[in-house]
Amino acid sequence: VQDSGAFPLPVNENTTHRILYEGANWTRGSAITWSVANRSGSAESPFSGYMGSQYEPFVRQAFRTWAAASGLTLRQVADSDQADIRVGWGDFNTSSTGIVGHTLCQAQSGQFLPGAIIRLENPSQNSLVAGAGNTLTYSGTNAIFYQVILHEIGHALGLADNDDPTSVMNYEATGTNNALATNDVAGIRALYGAPTAPTAAVRAVSPVLSATSMNSLRHALGQAPESY
């Protein structure tokens, strides 16, 4: 987040770890729009490519997970520079840098401005490997694609990295912190409130893909080049 630094709040009663924030947030009660990018990003955060439709269920489920955990309304829209949050590929060369995702937001007076950009490592740089349970993992890493999306959306909503090993906002993707933990739910609710209707315990789940779509995705990923 530009022009804002991460800052801690007191320890929440439900967690032994500090909840860290970026120092800015969206207006509480307003709908936040998001899109899967199909046009260029910004000079500071350019997209290296655009996601095919086979990846959208993972992105959609991640936004739904954050919405279900909080009082947020997150609405998918057609891509434009005016979408609040845009998602696409970036070239990070994960095998050398260890970076699998990056979020750039602009803020003014503690409020995020439209056009936040989330970039995820491009599979042409570091391939995604399809595994059990409809999971995709970046080759040679513990970083689950869906986990990375959840983490980066958390940044775009105002949560910073933390040191809770169970949190999806932990600074390291271990492959096990791939669901919203108590820390994450408490943090997002502190910013945007709780759901207006009672909900079941929030947990991150993989998108439901049909056998046909998953087989097609496996085939496509099998053709993706390795970057090692």
Side-chain angles (χ1 to χ4, degrees):
V1 177
Q2 291 191 344
D3 301 325
S4 62
F7 64 94
L9 286 186
V11 175
N12 183 275
E13 63 182 0
N14 294 320
T15 178
T16 59
H17 295 267
R18 292 185 306 170
I19 302 171
L20 300 177
Y21 296 88
E22 295 285 9
N25 58 272
W26 302 96
T27 301
R28 184 183 282 216
S30 63
I32 301 170
T33 59
W34 65 272
S35 64
V36 174
N38 59 20
R39 60 189 68 196
S40 61
S42 64
E44 301 89 352
S45 197
F47 293 121
S48 66
Y50 310 122
M51 292 184 180
S53 59
Q54 69 267 38
Y55 297 102
E56 286 194 33
F58 296 89
V59 179
R60 192 175 298 116
Q61 181 61 50
F63 275 102
R64 287 174 177 169
T65 296
W66 281 113
S70 65
L72 284 167
T73 298
L74 300 170
R75 186 173 70 244
Q76 185 175 6
V77 296
D79 187 48
S80 78
D81 293 340
Q82 293 307 303
D84 292 323
I85 303 169
R86 304 173 64 210
V87 183
W89 298 129
D91 285 347
F92 300 117
N93 194 13
T94 299
S95 60
S96 298
T97 66
I99 298 171
V100 289
H102 181 266
T103 297
L104 179 67
C105 302
Q106 300 282 349
Q108 184 173 31
S109 301
Q111 294 291 304
F112 285 133
L113 300 175
I117 292 179
I118 292 175
R119 292 182 299 158
L120 309 168
E121 171 71 311
N122 197 323
S124 68
Q125 284 269 307
N126 203 98
S127 62
L128 285 165
V129 179
N134 293 352
T135 59
L136 302 175
T137 302
Y138 281 106
S139 177
T141 77
N142 293 317
I144 298 170
F145 180 58
Y146 179 66
Q147 170 189 22
V148 177
I149 300 170
L150 275 177
H151 180 95
E152 296 304 332
I153 292 174
H155 282 314
L157 297 177
L159 298 178
D161 289 339
N162 63 46
D163 62 357
D164 182 351
T166 69
S167 169
V168 78
M169 295 309 299
N170 185 273
Y171 55 84
E172 184 177 7
T174 64
T176 58
N177 57 327
N178 57 355
L180 300 193
T182 299
N183 187 307
D184 304 311
V185 176
I188 202 69
R189 290 183 179 180
L191 288 177
Y192 302 105
T196 54
T199 59
V202 176
R203 62 186 181 91
V205 295
S206 297
V208 176
L209 300 179
S210 68
T212 300
S213 64
M214 194 60 193
N215 287 337
S216 298
L217 184 55
R218 287 177 186 273
H219 176 74
L221 292 172
Q223 307 306 310
E226 291 286 350
S227 59
Y228 292 101

mmCIF file of all heavy atoms in Angstrom, residues 98 100 141-144 147-148 151 155 160-178:
data_model
loop_
_atom_site.group_PDB
_atom_site.id
_atom_site.type_symbol
_atom_site.label_atom_id
_atom_site.label_comp_id
_atom_site.label_asym_id
_atom_site.label_seq_id
_atom_site.Cartn_x
_atom_site.Cartn_y
_atom_site.Cartn_z
ATOM 1 N N GLY A 98 11.245 -15.982 -4.787
ATOM 2 C CA GLY A 98 10.363 -16.443 -3.722
ATOM 3 C C GLY A 98 9.059 -15.684 -3.655
ATOM 4 O O GLY A 98 8.235 -15.947 -2.785
ATOM 5 N N VAL A 100 5.353 -14.774 -4.916
ATOM 6 C CA VAL A 100 4.272 -15.388 -5.688
ATOM 7 C C VAL A 100 3.110 -14.436 -5.910
ATOM 8 O O VAL A 100 2.194 -14.739 -6.671
ATOM 9 C CB VAL A 100 3.746 -16.675 -5.012
ATOM 10 C CG1 VAL A 100 4.750 -17.798 -5.114
ATOM 11 C CG2 VAL A 100 3.365 -16.414 -3.568
ATOM 12 N N THR A 141 7.259 -25.040 -4.917
ATOM 13 C CA THR A 141 6.964 -24.240 -3.731
ATOM 14 C C THR A 141 5.862 -24.904 -2.917
ATOM 15 O O THR A 141 5.270 -25.894 -3.342
ATOM 16 C CB THR A 141 6.486 -22.822 -4.110
ATOM 17 O OG1 THR A 141 5.116 -22.875 -4.544
ATOM 18 C CG2 THR A 141 7.342 -22.233 -5.226
ATOM 19 N N ASN A 142 5.569 -24.327 -1.755
ATOM 20 C CA ASN A 142 4.427 -24.745 -0.947
ATOM 21 C C ASN A 142 3.237 -23.826 -1.159
ATOM 22 O O ASN A 142 2.238 -23.941 -0.453
ATOM 23 C CB ASN A 142 4.807 -24.739 0.543
ATOM 24 C CG ASN A 142 5.835 -25.793 0.889
ATOM 25 O OD1 ASN A 142 5.743 -26.923 0.430
ATOM 26 N ND2 ASN A 142 6.813 -25.429 1.703
ATOM 27 N N ALA A 143 3.344 -22.896 -2.088
ATOM 28 C CA ALA A 143 2.322 -21.867 -2.279
ATOM 29 C C ALA A 143 1.155 -22.393 -3.114
ATOM 30 O O ALA A 143 1.302 -22.674 -4.306
ATOM 31 C CB ALA A 143 2.925 -20.641 -2.943
ATOM 32 N N ILE A 144 0.005 -22.534 -2.479
ATOM 33 C CA ILE A 144 -1.213 -22.947 -3.165
ATOM 34 C C ILE A 144 -1.846 -21.730 -3.827
ATOM 35 O O ILE A 144 -1.980 -20.671 -3.207
ATOM 36 C CB ILE A 144 -2.188 -23.597 -2.166
ATOM 37 C CG1 ILE A 144 -1.559 -24.861 -1.559
ATOM 38 C CG2 ILE A 144 -3.518 -23.936 -2.830
ATOM 39 C CD1 ILE A 144 -2.336 -25.441 -0.409
ATOM 40 N N GLN A 147 -4.602 -20.060 -1.965
ATOM 41 C CA GLN A 147 -4.060 -19.430 -0.764
ATOM 42 C C GLN A 147 -3.448 -18.067 -1.101
ATOM 43 O O GLN A 147 -3.647 -17.077 -0.374
ATOM 44 C CB GLN A 147 -2.993 -20.347 -0.162
ATOM 45 C CG GLN A 147 -2.156 -19.753 0.951
ATOM 46 C CD GLN A 147 -0.994 -20.662 1.328
ATOM 47 O OE1 GLN A 147 -0.579 -21.509 0.519
ATOM 48 N NE2 GLN A 147 -0.476 -20.511 2.519
ATOM 49 N N VAL A 148 -2.699 -17.997 -2.199
ATOM 50 C CA VAL A 148 -2.067 -16.743 -2.604
ATOM 51 C C VAL A 148 -3.130 -15.697 -2.936
ATOM 52 O O VAL A 148 -2.993 -14.519 -2.572
ATOM 53 C CB VAL A 148 -1.122 -16.968 -3.805
ATOM 54 C CG1 VAL A 148 -0.513 -15.652 -4.270
ATOM 55 C CG2 VAL A 148 -0.019 -17.959 -3.452
ATOM 56 N N HIS A 151 -4.603 -14.364 0.290
ATOM 57 C CA HIS A 151 -3.633 -13.489 0.953
ATOM 58 C C HIS A 151 -3.607 -12.110 0.305
ATOM 59 O O HIS A 151 -3.684 -11.075 0.990
ATOM 60 C CB HIS A 151 -2.246 -14.130 0.888
ATOM 61 C CG HIS A 151 -1.166 -13.327 1.538
ATOM 62 N ND1 HIS A 151 -0.770 -13.532 2.836
ATOM 63 C CD2 HIS A 151 -0.391 -12.305 1.067
ATOM 64 C CE1 HIS A 151 0.195 -12.674 3.147
ATOM 65 N NE2 HIS A 151 0.446 -11.925 2.087
ATOM 66 N N HIS A 155 -4.676 -8.127 1.594
ATOM 67 C CA HIS A 155 -3.943 -6.862 1.510
ATOM 68 C C HIS A 155 -4.807 -5.775 0.874
ATOM 69 O O HIS A 155 -4.833 -4.630 1.342
ATOM 70 C CB HIS A 155 -2.679 -7.047 0.677
ATOM 71 C CG HIS A 155 -1.558 -7.719 1.398
ATOM 72 N ND1 HIS A 155 -1.159 -7.377 2.676
ATOM 73 C CD2 HIS A 155 -0.717 -8.727 1.014
ATOM 74 C CE1 HIS A 155 -0.141 -8.127 3.043
ATOM 75 N NE2 HIS A 155 0.142 -8.972 2.056
ATOM 76 N N ALA A 160 -2.487 -6.422 6.757
ATOM 77 C CA ALA A 160 -1.058 -6.535 6.472
ATOM 78 C C ALA A 160 -0.556 -7.928 6.839
ATOM 79 O O ALA A 160 -1.261 -8.717 7.470
ATOM 80 C CB ALA A 160 -0.281 -5.472 7.245
ATOM 81 N N ASP A 161 0.689 -8.217 6.469
ATOM 82 C CA ASP A 161 1.315 -9.480 6.851
ATOM 83 C C ASP A 161 1.416 -9.574 8.371
ATOM 84 O O ASP A 161 1.595 -8.562 9.062
ATOM 85 C CB ASP A 161 2.725 -9.578 6.265
ATOM 86 C CG ASP A 161 2.723 -9.773 4.765
ATOM 87 O OD1 ASP A 161 1.704 -10.222 4.223
ATOM 88 O OD2 ASP A 161 3.750 -9.457 4.134
ATOM 89 N N ASN A 162 1.325 -10.796 8.897
ATOM 90 C CA ASN A 162 1.493 -10.994 10.330
ATOM 91 C C ASN A 162 2.366 -12.227 10.584
ATOM 92 O O ASN A 162 2.820 -12.883 9.645
ATOM 93 C CB ASN A 162 0.132 -11.110 11.033
ATOM 94 C CG ASN A 162 -0.664 -12.323 10.570
ATOM 95 O OD1 ASN A 162 -0.145 -13.438 10.470
ATOM 96 N ND2 ASN A 162 -1.945 -12.129 10.286
ATOM 97 N N ASP A 163 2.599 -12.521 11.864
ATOM 98 C CA ASP A 163 3.470 -13.651 12.203
ATOM 99 C C ASP A 163 2.705 -14.842 12.753
ATOM 100 O O ASP A 163 3.298 -15.749 13.340
ATOM 101 C CB ASP A 163 4.542 -13.206 13.211
ATOM 102 C CG ASP A 163 3.945 -12.724 14.530
ATOM 103 O OD1 ASP A 163 2.690 -12.685 14.653
ATOM 104 O OD2 ASP A 163 4.724 -12.383 15.443
ATOM 105 N N ASP A 164 1.385 -14.877 12.555
ATOM 106 C CA ASP A 164 0.574 -16.004 13.006
ATOM 107 C C ASP A 164 0.712 -17.143 11.995
ATOM 108 O O ASP A 164 0.278 -17.011 10.852
ATOM 109 C CB ASP A 164 -0.889 -15.567 13.116
ATOM 110 C CG ASP A 164 -1.806 -16.667 13.622
ATOM 111 O OD1 ASP A 164 -1.351 -17.826 13.736
ATOM 112 O OD2 ASP A 164 -2.984 -16.383 13.890
ATOM 113 N N PRO A 165 1.288 -18.275 12.367
ATOM 114 C CA PRO A 165 1.509 -19.363 11.402
ATOM 115 C C PRO A 165 0.229 -19.974 10.865
ATOM 116 O O PRO A 165 0.258 -20.650 9.839
ATOM 117 C CB PRO A 165 2.328 -20.382 12.202
ATOM 118 C CG PRO A 165 2.005 -20.098 13.626
ATOM 119 C CD PRO A 165 1.793 -18.618 13.711
ATOM 120 N N THR A 166 -0.902 -19.750 11.544
ATOM 121 C CA THR A 166 -2.168 -20.308 11.069
ATOM 122 C C THR A 166 -2.913 -19.345 10.147
ATOM 123 O O THR A 166 -3.878 -19.734 9.504
ATOM 124 C CB THR A 166 -3.096 -20.657 12.251
ATOM 125 O OG1 THR A 166 -3.547 -19.447 12.893
ATOM 126 C CG2 THR A 166 -2.386 -21.533 13.264
ATOM 127 N N SER A 167 -2.461 -18.118 10.091
ATOM 128 C CA SER A 167 -3.179 -17.070 9.353
ATOM 129 C C SER A 167 -2.836 -17.082 7.877
ATOM 130 O O SER A 167 -1.675 -17.241 7.494
ATOM 131 C CB SER A 167 -2.829 -15.699 9.947
ATOM 132 O OG SER A 167 -3.284 -14.649 9.119
ATOM 133 N N VAL A 168 -3.843 -16.864 7.043
ATOM 134 C CA VAL A 168 -3.581 -16.747 5.615
ATOM 135 C C VAL A 168 -2.812 -15.463 5.326
ATOM 136 O O VAL A 168 -2.211 -15.320 4.260
ATOM 137 C CB VAL A 168 -4.906 -16.789 4.809
ATOM 138 C CG1 VAL A 168 -5.639 -15.450 4.858
ATOM 139 C CG2 VAL A 168 -4.665 -17.229 3.374
ATOM 140 N N MET A 169 -2.792 -14.521 6.284
ATOM 141 C CA MET A 169 -2.045 -13.279 6.124
ATOM 142 C C MET A 169 -0.625 -13.384 6.685
ATOM 143 O O MET A 169 0.083 -12.381 6.760
ATOM 144 C CB MET A 169 -2.789 -12.116 6.792
ATOM 145 C CG MET A 169 -4.128 -11.788 6.158
ATOM 146 S SD MET A 169 -4.043 -11.559 4.347
ATOM 147 C CE MET A 169 -2.906 -10.177 4.217
ATOM 148 N N ASN A 170 -0.210 -14.590 7.077
ATOM 149 C CA ASN A 170 1.178 -14.776 7.481
ATOM 150 C C ASN A 170 2.086 -14.395 6.323
ATOM 151 O O ASN A 170 1.719 -14.579 5.158
ATOM 152 C CB ASN A 170 1.421 -16.228 7.896
ATOM 153 C CG ASN A 170 2.811 -16.458 8.444
ATOM 154 O OD1 ASN A 170 3.747 -16.729 7.692
ATOM 155 N ND2 ASN A 170 2.957 -16.356 9.751
ATOM 156 N N TYR A 171 3.268 -13.876 6.638
ATOM 157 C CA TYR A 171 4.181 -13.416 5.597
ATOM 158 C C TYR A 171 4.728 -14.542 4.736
ATOM 159 O O TYR A 171 5.346 -14.301 3.704
ATOM 160 C CB TYR A 171 5.337 -12.624 6.213
ATOM 161 C CG TYR A 171 6.092 -13.362 7.291
ATOM 162 C CD1 TYR A 171 7.108 -14.258 6.961
ATOM 163 C CD2 TYR A 171 5.788 -13.169 8.633
ATOM 164 C CE1 TYR A 171 7.794 -14.954 7.939
ATOM 165 C CE2 TYR A 171 6.478 -13.855 9.624
ATOM 166 C CZ TYR A 171 7.472 -14.739 9.274
ATOM 167 O OH TYR A 171 8.152 -15.440 10.251
ATOM 168 N N GLU A 172 4.501 -15.788 5.138
ATOM 169 C CA GLU A 172 5.028 -16.926 4.378
ATOM 170 C C GLU A 172 3.913 -17.896 4.016
ATOM 171 O O GLU A 172 3.072 -18.224 4.851
ATOM 172 C CB GLU A 172 6.087 -17.653 5.205
ATOM 173 C CG GLU A 172 6.764 -18.791 4.460
ATOM 174 C CD GLU A 172 7.863 -19.444 5.285
ATOM 175 O OE1 GLU A 172 8.007 -19.098 6.475
ATOM 176 O OE2 GLU A 172 8.573 -20.293 4.743
ATOM 177 N N ALA A 173 3.889 -18.330 2.774
ATOM 178 C CA ALA A 173 2.916 -19.330 2.326
ATOM 179 C C ALA A 173 3.502 -20.706 2.581
ATOM 180 O O ALA A 173 4.423 -21.141 1.888
ATOM 181 C CB ALA A 173 2.610 -19.155 0.838
ATOM 182 N N THR A 174 2.988 -21.384 3.602
ATOM 183 C CA THR A 174 3.532 -22.685 3.972
ATOM 184 C C THR A 174 2.774 -23.844 3.353
ATOM 185 O O THR A 174 3.204 -24.985 3.422
ATOM 186 C CB THR A 174 3.504 -22.851 5.497
ATOM 187 O OG1 THR A 174 2.144 -22.854 5.949
ATOM 188 C CG2 THR A 174 4.270 -21.722 6.184
ATOM 189 N N GLY A 175 1.615 -23.569 2.768
ATOM 190 C CA GLY A 175 0.801 -24.647 2.229
ATOM 191 C C GLY A 175 -0.205 -25.166 3.236
ATOM 192 O O GLY A 175 -1.123 -25.902 2.876
ATOM 193 N N THR A 176 -0.051 -24.793 4.509
ATOM 194 C CA THR A 176 -1.001 -25.212 5.542
ATOM 195 C C THR A 176 -1.874 -24.046 6.010
ATOM 196 O O THR A 176 -2.986 -24.260 6.467
ATOM 197 C CB THR A 176 -0.270 -25.807 6.760
ATOM 198 O OG1 THR A 176 0.639 -24.837 7.287
ATOM 199 C CG2 THR A 176 0.495 -27.056 6.373
ATOM 200 N N ASN A 177 -1.379 -22.825 5.889
ATOM 201 C CA ASN A 177 -2.175 -21.654 6.286
ATOM 202 C C ASN A 177 -2.976 -21.144 5.087
ATOM 203 O O ASN A 177 -2.880 -19.997 4.679
ATOM 204 C CB ASN A 177 -1.283 -20.542 6.851
ATOM 205 C CG ASN A 177 -0.194 -20.096 5.873
ATOM 206 O OD1 ASN A 177 0.323 -20.898 5.098
ATOM 207 N ND2 ASN A 177 0.169 -18.829 5.929
ATOM 208 N N ASN A 178 -3.785 -22.043 4.535
ATOM 209 C CA ASN A 178 -4.511 -21.729 3.304
ATOM 210 C C ASN A 178 -5.994 -21.504 3.525
ATOM 211 O O ASN A 178 -6.798 -21.596 2.600
ATOM 212 C CB ASN A 178 -4.307 -22.837 2.261
ATOM 213 C CG ASN A 178 -4.730 -24.195 2.770
ATOM 214 O OD1 ASN A 178 -5.085 -24.340 3.936
ATOM 215 N ND2 ASN A 178 -4.702 -25.191 1.900
#
